[in-house]
Short mmCIF file of all heavy atoms in Angstrom, two decimals:
data_model
loop_
_atom_site.label_atom_id
_atom_site.label_comp_id
_atom_site.label_asym_id
_atom_site.label_seq_id
_atom_site.Cartn_x
_atom_site.Cartn_y
_atom_site.Cartn_z
N VAL A 156 11.50 3.00 -4.52
CA VAL A 156 12.30 2.27 -3.53
C VAL A 156 13.70 2.85 -3.47
O VAL A 156 14.17 3.52 -4.40
CB VAL A 156 12.38 0.77 -3.86
CG1 VAL A 156 11.02 0.12 -3.78
CG2 VAL A 156 12.99 0.55 -5.24
N LEU A 157 14.37 2.57 -2.35
CA LEU A 157 15.78 2.92 -2.23
C LEU A 157 16.62 2.07 -3.18
O LEU A 157 16.38 0.86 -3.31
CB LEU A 157 16.28 2.69 -0.81
CG LEU A 157 15.83 3.66 0.28
CD1 LEU A 157 16.22 3.10 1.65
CD2 LEU A 157 16.45 5.03 0.08
N PRO A 158 17.61 2.65 -3.84
CA PRO A 158 18.49 1.82 -4.67
C PRO A 158 19.33 0.90 -3.79
O PRO A 158 19.60 1.21 -2.62
CB PRO A 158 19.37 2.86 -5.38
CG PRO A 158 19.33 4.07 -4.51
CD PRO A 158 17.97 4.07 -3.87
N ARG A 159 19.71 -0.24 -4.35
CA ARG A 159 20.51 -1.19 -3.57
C ARG A 159 21.81 -0.57 -3.09
O ARG A 159 22.26 -0.84 -1.98
CB ARG A 159 20.80 -2.43 -4.43
CG ARG A 159 19.56 -3.22 -4.83
CD ARG A 159 18.85 -3.80 -3.63
NE ARG A 159 17.76 -4.69 -4.03
CZ ARG A 159 16.92 -5.25 -3.18
NH1 ARG A 159 17.04 -5.01 -1.87
NH2 ARG A 159 15.96 -6.04 -3.61
N ARG A 160 22.41 0.24 -3.95
CA ARG A 160 23.61 0.98 -3.55
C ARG A 160 23.14 2.32 -2.99
O ARG A 160 22.74 3.21 -3.73
CB ARG A 160 24.54 1.19 -4.74
CG ARG A 160 25.85 1.86 -4.37
CD ARG A 160 26.78 1.95 -5.57
NE ARG A 160 28.05 2.59 -5.22
CZ ARG A 160 29.05 2.78 -6.07
NH1 ARG A 160 28.91 2.35 -7.33
NH2 ARG A 160 30.15 3.35 -5.67
N ARG A 161 23.18 2.48 -1.70
CA ARG A 161 22.61 3.64 -1.04
C ARG A 161 23.35 4.92 -1.43
O ARG A 161 24.60 4.96 -1.37
CB ARG A 161 22.64 3.49 0.48
CG ARG A 161 22.06 2.19 1.02
CD ARG A 161 20.65 1.93 0.58
NE ARG A 161 20.01 0.91 1.42
CZ ARG A 161 19.04 0.13 1.02
NH1 ARG A 161 18.58 0.24 -0.22
NH2 ARG A 161 18.50 -0.75 1.86
N PRO A 162 22.65 5.97 -1.82
CA PRO A 162 23.30 7.26 -2.11
C PRO A 162 23.83 7.89 -0.83
O PRO A 162 23.33 7.62 0.27
CB PRO A 162 22.17 8.09 -2.72
CG PRO A 162 20.91 7.47 -2.21
CD PRO A 162 21.19 6.01 -2.04
N ARG A 163 24.82 8.75 -0.97
CA ARG A 163 25.44 9.33 0.22
C ARG A 163 24.62 10.47 0.81
O ARG A 163 24.37 10.52 2.00
CB ARG A 163 26.87 9.81 -0.10
CG ARG A 163 27.56 10.46 1.09
CD ARG A 163 29.03 10.68 0.87
NE ARG A 163 29.63 11.35 2.03
CZ ARG A 163 29.93 10.74 3.18
NH1 ARG A 163 29.68 9.45 3.31
NH2 ARG A 163 30.47 11.41 4.17
N ARG A 164 24.21 11.43 -0.03
CA ARG A 164 23.46 12.60 0.44
C ARG A 164 22.02 12.46 -0.05
O ARG A 164 21.75 12.57 -1.24
CB ARG A 164 24.09 13.88 -0.07
CG ARG A 164 25.43 14.19 0.57
CD ARG A 164 26.18 15.30 -0.17
NE ARG A 164 25.34 16.48 -0.40
CZ ARG A 164 25.11 17.43 0.50
NH1 ARG A 164 25.64 17.33 1.72
NH2 ARG A 164 24.36 18.46 0.21
N VAL A 165 21.09 12.23 0.89
CA VAL A 165 19.71 11.92 0.54
C VAL A 165 18.78 12.97 1.14
O VAL A 165 18.86 13.28 2.33
CB VAL A 165 19.29 10.53 1.06
CG1 VAL A 165 17.91 10.16 0.53
CG2 VAL A 165 20.32 9.48 0.67
N LEU A 166 17.89 13.48 0.29
CA LEU A 166 16.84 14.39 0.76
C LEU A 166 15.49 13.73 0.54
O LEU A 166 15.17 13.29 -0.56
CB LEU A 166 16.88 15.72 -0.01
CG LEU A 166 15.71 16.68 0.24
CD1 LEU A 166 15.66 17.11 1.70
CD2 LEU A 166 15.82 17.90 -0.68
N PHE A 167 14.70 13.65 1.63
CA PHE A 167 13.34 13.14 1.55
C PHE A 167 12.37 14.31 1.70
O PHE A 167 12.55 15.19 2.55
CB PHE A 167 13.07 12.13 2.67
CG PHE A 167 13.89 10.88 2.58
CD1 PHE A 167 14.92 10.63 3.49
CD2 PHE A 167 13.64 9.93 1.60
CE1 PHE A 167 15.67 9.48 3.41
CE2 PHE A 167 14.39 8.77 1.51
CZ PHE A 167 15.41 8.54 2.42
N VAL A 168 11.32 14.31 0.87
CA VAL A 168 10.28 15.32 0.95
C VAL A 168 8.94 14.62 0.87
O VAL A 168 8.72 13.77 -0.01
CB VAL A 168 10.38 16.36 -0.19
CG1 VAL A 168 9.31 17.44 -0.03
CG2 VAL A 168 11.77 16.98 -0.24
N SER A 169 8.02 14.95 1.78
CA SER A 169 6.70 14.32 1.75
C SER A 169 5.64 15.32 2.16
O SER A 169 5.91 16.32 2.82
CB SER A 169 6.65 13.09 2.66
OG SER A 169 6.84 13.46 4.02
N GLY A 170 4.41 15.02 1.75
CA GLY A 170 3.27 15.84 2.12
C GLY A 170 2.10 14.98 2.52
O GLY A 170 1.76 14.01 1.82
N GLY A 171 1.48 15.27 3.67
CA GLY A 171 0.31 14.52 4.12
C GLY A 171 0.61 13.05 4.30
O GLY A 171 1.61 12.66 4.88
N SER A 172 -0.29 12.20 3.74
CA SER A 172 -0.13 10.75 3.89
C SER A 172 1.03 10.21 3.07
O SER A 172 1.39 9.04 3.21
CB SER A 172 -1.42 10.04 3.48
OG SER A 172 -1.75 10.34 2.13
N GLY A 173 1.65 11.05 2.24
CA GLY A 173 2.83 10.61 1.51
C GLY A 173 4.03 10.36 2.40
O GLY A 173 5.08 9.92 1.92
N ILE A 174 3.88 10.60 3.68
CA ILE A 174 5.00 10.38 4.60
C ILE A 174 5.34 8.90 4.78
O ILE A 174 6.48 8.56 5.11
CB ILE A 174 4.68 11.02 5.99
CG1 ILE A 174 5.94 11.08 6.85
CG2 ILE A 174 3.57 10.25 6.70
CD1 ILE A 174 5.76 11.83 8.15
N THR A 175 4.38 8.01 4.56
CA THR A 175 4.61 6.60 4.93
C THR A 175 5.73 5.92 4.13
O THR A 175 6.60 5.30 4.74
CB THR A 175 3.30 5.80 4.85
OG1 THR A 175 2.70 5.97 3.56
CG2 THR A 175 2.33 6.26 5.93
N PRO A 176 5.75 5.98 2.79
CA PRO A 176 6.87 5.32 2.11
C PRO A 176 8.20 5.99 2.41
O PRO A 176 9.25 5.34 2.45
CB PRO A 176 6.50 5.44 0.62
CG PRO A 176 5.58 6.61 0.55
CD PRO A 176 4.81 6.59 1.84
N VAL A 177 8.17 7.31 2.63
CA VAL A 177 9.39 8.04 2.97
C VAL A 177 9.89 7.63 4.35
O VAL A 177 11.10 7.46 4.57
CB VAL A 177 9.14 9.55 2.89
CG1 VAL A 177 10.31 10.33 3.44
CG2 VAL A 177 8.87 9.97 1.44
N MET A 178 8.97 7.44 5.31
CA MET A 178 9.37 6.96 6.63
C MET A 178 10.01 5.59 6.55
O MET A 178 10.98 5.29 7.27
CB MET A 178 8.16 6.91 7.57
CG MET A 178 7.79 8.23 8.19
SD MET A 178 9.08 8.93 9.26
CE MET A 178 9.21 7.68 10.54
N ALA A 179 9.48 4.72 5.67
CA ALA A 179 10.06 3.39 5.51
C ALA A 179 11.51 3.49 5.04
O ALA A 179 12.40 2.78 5.53
CB ALA A 179 9.22 2.57 4.53
N MET A 180 11.76 4.37 4.08
CA MET A 180 13.12 4.55 3.59
C MET A 180 14.02 5.16 4.66
O MET A 180 15.16 4.72 4.87
CB MET A 180 13.11 5.47 2.36
CG MET A 180 12.37 4.92 1.16
SD MET A 180 12.44 6.10 -0.22
CE MET A 180 11.42 5.25 -1.43
N LEU A 181 13.50 6.17 5.36
CA LEU A 181 14.28 6.84 6.40
C LEU A 181 14.63 5.87 7.51
O LEU A 181 15.79 5.80 7.97
CB LEU A 181 13.48 8.02 6.94
CG LEU A 181 14.15 8.90 7.99
CD1 LEU A 181 15.44 9.50 7.44
CD2 LEU A 181 13.20 10.00 8.44
N ARG A 182 13.64 5.11 7.98
CA ARG A 182 13.90 4.14 9.04
C ARG A 182 14.91 3.09 8.60
O ARG A 182 15.73 2.61 9.40
CB ARG A 182 12.58 3.47 9.45
CG ARG A 182 11.68 4.34 10.32
CD ARG A 182 10.33 3.70 10.48
NE ARG A 182 9.57 4.27 11.61
CZ ARG A 182 8.31 3.97 11.87
NH1 ARG A 182 7.64 3.11 11.09
NH2 ARG A 182 7.69 4.51 12.91
N THR A 183 14.84 2.70 7.33
CA THR A 183 15.78 1.70 6.82
C THR A 183 17.21 2.23 6.87
O THR A 183 18.13 1.53 7.31
CB THR A 183 15.40 1.31 5.39
OG1 THR A 183 14.11 0.71 5.39
CG2 THR A 183 16.41 0.34 4.80
N LEU A 184 17.41 3.45 6.41
CA LEU A 184 18.75 4.03 6.43
C LEU A 184 19.27 4.21 7.85
O LEU A 184 20.45 3.95 8.13
CB LEU A 184 18.75 5.38 5.70
CG LEU A 184 18.53 5.34 4.18
CD1 LEU A 184 18.57 6.75 3.61
CD2 LEU A 184 19.56 4.45 3.50
N VAL A 185 18.41 4.64 8.77
CA VAL A 185 18.82 4.81 10.16
C VAL A 185 19.20 3.47 10.76
O VAL A 185 20.21 3.34 11.47
CB VAL A 185 17.70 5.49 10.98
CG1 VAL A 185 18.02 5.45 12.47
CG2 VAL A 185 17.50 6.93 10.52
N ALA A 186 18.39 2.42 10.47
CA ALA A 186 18.69 1.08 11.00
C ALA A 186 20.00 0.54 10.45
O ALA A 186 20.68 -0.24 11.12
CB ALA A 186 17.54 0.13 10.67
N GLU A 187 20.34 0.95 9.24
CA GLU A 187 21.59 0.51 8.62
C GLU A 187 22.79 1.36 9.05
O GLU A 187 23.90 1.12 8.59
CB GLU A 187 21.46 0.56 7.09
CG GLU A 187 20.46 -0.43 6.51
CD GLU A 187 20.23 -0.23 5.02
OE1 GLU A 187 20.71 0.79 4.47
OE2 GLU A 187 19.59 -1.09 4.40
N HIS A 188 22.53 2.37 9.91
CA HIS A 188 23.59 3.30 10.34
C HIS A 188 24.24 3.97 9.13
O HIS A 188 25.47 3.98 8.99
CB HIS A 188 24.64 2.57 11.19
CG HIS A 188 24.07 1.88 12.39
ND1 HIS A 188 23.59 2.55 13.49
CD2 HIS A 188 23.87 0.55 12.64
CE1 HIS A 188 23.14 1.68 14.38
NE2 HIS A 188 23.29 0.47 13.90
N HIS A 189 23.40 4.51 8.28
CA HIS A 189 23.86 5.16 7.06
C HIS A 189 24.93 6.20 7.37
O HIS A 189 24.73 7.08 8.22
CB HIS A 189 22.67 5.82 6.35
CG HIS A 189 23.02 6.48 5.06
ND1 HIS A 189 23.47 5.79 3.96
CD2 HIS A 189 22.96 7.78 4.68
CE1 HIS A 189 23.67 6.62 2.97
NE2 HIS A 189 23.38 7.84 3.37
N ALA A 190 26.05 6.12 6.68
CA ALA A 190 27.19 6.99 6.99
C ALA A 190 27.09 8.36 6.32
O ALA A 190 27.86 9.26 6.66
CB ALA A 190 28.48 6.31 6.57
N GLY A 191 26.16 8.51 5.38
CA GLY A 191 26.05 9.76 4.67
C GLY A 191 25.15 10.77 5.37
O GLY A 191 24.83 10.63 6.55
N GLU A 192 24.72 11.79 4.62
CA GLU A 192 23.87 12.85 5.16
C GLU A 192 22.41 12.58 4.76
O GLU A 192 22.14 12.17 3.63
CB GLU A 192 24.31 14.21 4.62
CG GLU A 192 25.71 14.62 5.03
CD GLU A 192 26.07 15.96 4.43
OE1 GLU A 192 25.33 16.94 4.65
OE2 GLU A 192 27.10 16.03 3.72
N ILE A 193 21.50 12.86 5.69
CA ILE A 193 20.08 12.66 5.46
C ILE A 193 19.33 13.90 5.93
O ILE A 193 19.56 14.39 7.04
CB ILE A 193 19.53 11.43 6.21
CG1 ILE A 193 20.30 10.17 5.87
CG2 ILE A 193 18.04 11.24 5.89
CD1 ILE A 193 19.91 8.97 6.71
N ALA A 194 18.44 14.40 5.08
CA ALA A 194 17.55 15.49 5.46
C ALA A 194 16.13 15.11 5.08
O ALA A 194 15.91 14.38 4.10
CB ALA A 194 17.96 16.79 4.79
N PHE A 195 15.18 15.61 5.86
CA PHE A 195 13.78 15.26 5.64
C PHE A 195 12.90 16.49 5.82
O PHE A 195 12.98 17.18 6.85
CB PHE A 195 13.36 14.15 6.61
CG PHE A 195 11.92 13.71 6.47
CD1 PHE A 195 11.33 13.60 5.24
CD2 PHE A 195 11.17 13.40 7.60
CE1 PHE A 195 10.01 13.19 5.11
CE2 PHE A 195 9.85 12.99 7.49
CZ PHE A 195 9.27 12.88 6.24
N VAL A 196 12.08 16.79 4.81
CA VAL A 196 11.13 17.90 4.87
C VAL A 196 9.73 17.31 4.75
O VAL A 196 9.43 16.61 3.78
CB VAL A 196 11.36 18.92 3.74
CG1 VAL A 196 10.30 20.02 3.80
CG2 VAL A 196 12.76 19.50 3.82
N HIS A 197 8.89 17.60 5.75
CA HIS A 197 7.52 17.10 5.70
C HIS A 197 6.54 18.25 5.83
O HIS A 197 6.70 19.14 6.67
CB HIS A 197 7.26 16.09 6.82
CG HIS A 197 5.84 15.58 6.83
ND1 HIS A 197 5.30 14.89 5.77
CD2 HIS A 197 4.85 15.69 7.77
CE1 HIS A 197 4.04 14.58 6.05
NE2 HIS A 197 3.75 15.06 7.24
N TYR A 198 5.49 18.20 4.98
CA TYR A 198 4.45 19.22 4.98
C TYR A 198 3.13 18.60 5.45
O TYR A 198 2.74 17.53 4.97
CB TYR A 198 4.26 19.81 3.58
CG TYR A 198 5.48 20.53 3.06
CD1 TYR A 198 6.44 19.84 2.31
CD2 TYR A 198 5.68 21.88 3.30
CE1 TYR A 198 7.56 20.48 1.82
CE2 TYR A 198 6.81 22.53 2.82
CZ TYR A 198 7.75 21.83 2.08
OH TYR A 198 8.86 22.47 1.60
N ALA A 199 2.49 19.26 6.40
CA ALA A 199 1.18 18.84 6.90
C ALA A 199 0.31 20.09 7.03
O ALA A 199 0.79 21.22 6.88
CB ALA A 199 1.31 18.14 8.25
N ARG A 200 -0.96 19.88 7.31
CA ARG A 200 -1.84 21.04 7.44
C ARG A 200 -1.58 21.79 8.75
O ARG A 200 -1.51 23.01 8.77
CB ARG A 200 -3.31 20.59 7.36
CG ARG A 200 -3.64 19.95 6.03
CD ARG A 200 -5.12 19.91 5.76
NE ARG A 200 -5.87 19.16 6.77
CZ ARG A 200 -7.18 18.93 6.69
NH1 ARG A 200 -7.88 19.40 5.67
NH2 ARG A 200 -7.80 18.24 7.63
N THR A 201 -1.44 21.06 9.86
CA THR A 201 -1.20 21.66 11.17
C THR A 201 -0.26 20.78 11.96
O THR A 201 -0.08 19.59 11.64
CB THR A 201 -2.52 21.82 11.95
OG1 THR A 201 -3.04 20.49 12.24
CG2 THR A 201 -3.56 22.62 11.16
N PRO A 202 0.35 21.29 13.04
CA PRO A 202 1.19 20.44 13.89
C PRO A 202 0.43 19.23 14.45
O PRO A 202 1.02 18.16 14.63
CB PRO A 202 1.64 21.39 15.01
CG PRO A 202 1.58 22.74 14.39
CD PRO A 202 0.41 22.71 13.46
N ALA A 203 -0.86 19.40 14.74
CA ALA A 203 -1.64 18.29 15.30
C ALA A 203 -1.78 17.13 14.32
O ALA A 203 -2.01 16.00 14.72
CB ALA A 203 -3.03 18.79 15.71
N GLU A 204 -1.68 17.42 13.02
CA GLU A 204 -1.82 16.38 12.00
C GLU A 204 -0.48 15.90 11.47
O GLU A 204 -0.42 15.19 10.47
CB GLU A 204 -2.68 16.91 10.85
CG GLU A 204 -4.11 17.26 11.27
CD GLU A 204 -4.94 17.77 10.11
OE1 GLU A 204 -4.61 17.44 8.95
OE2 GLU A 204 -5.93 18.49 10.36
N ASP A 205 0.59 16.26 12.14
CA ASP A 205 1.95 15.92 11.71
C ASP A 205 2.33 14.55 12.26
O ASP A 205 2.76 14.42 13.42
CB ASP A 205 2.91 17.00 12.20
CG ASP A 205 4.26 16.91 11.52
OD1 ASP A 205 4.51 15.92 10.81
OD2 ASP A 205 5.07 17.84 11.68
#
Side-chain angles (χ1 to χ4, degrees):
V156 296
L157 287 169
R159 296 296 187 185
R160 184 176 180 179
R161 309 304 197 207
R163 178 168 178 77
R164 290 168 50 81
V165 187
L166 172 62
F167 295 109
V168 183
S169 64
S172 59
I174 193 173
T175 53
V177 171
M178 278 298 298
M180 296 180 184
L181 183 59
R182 284 171 163 173
T183 297
L184 292 180
V185 170
E187 293 173 351
H188 303 289
H189 182 65
E192 297 179 56
I193 305 173
F195 180 39
V196 177
H197 179 61
Y198 297 91
R200 298 198 300 184
T201 65
E204 297 180 24
D205 194 350

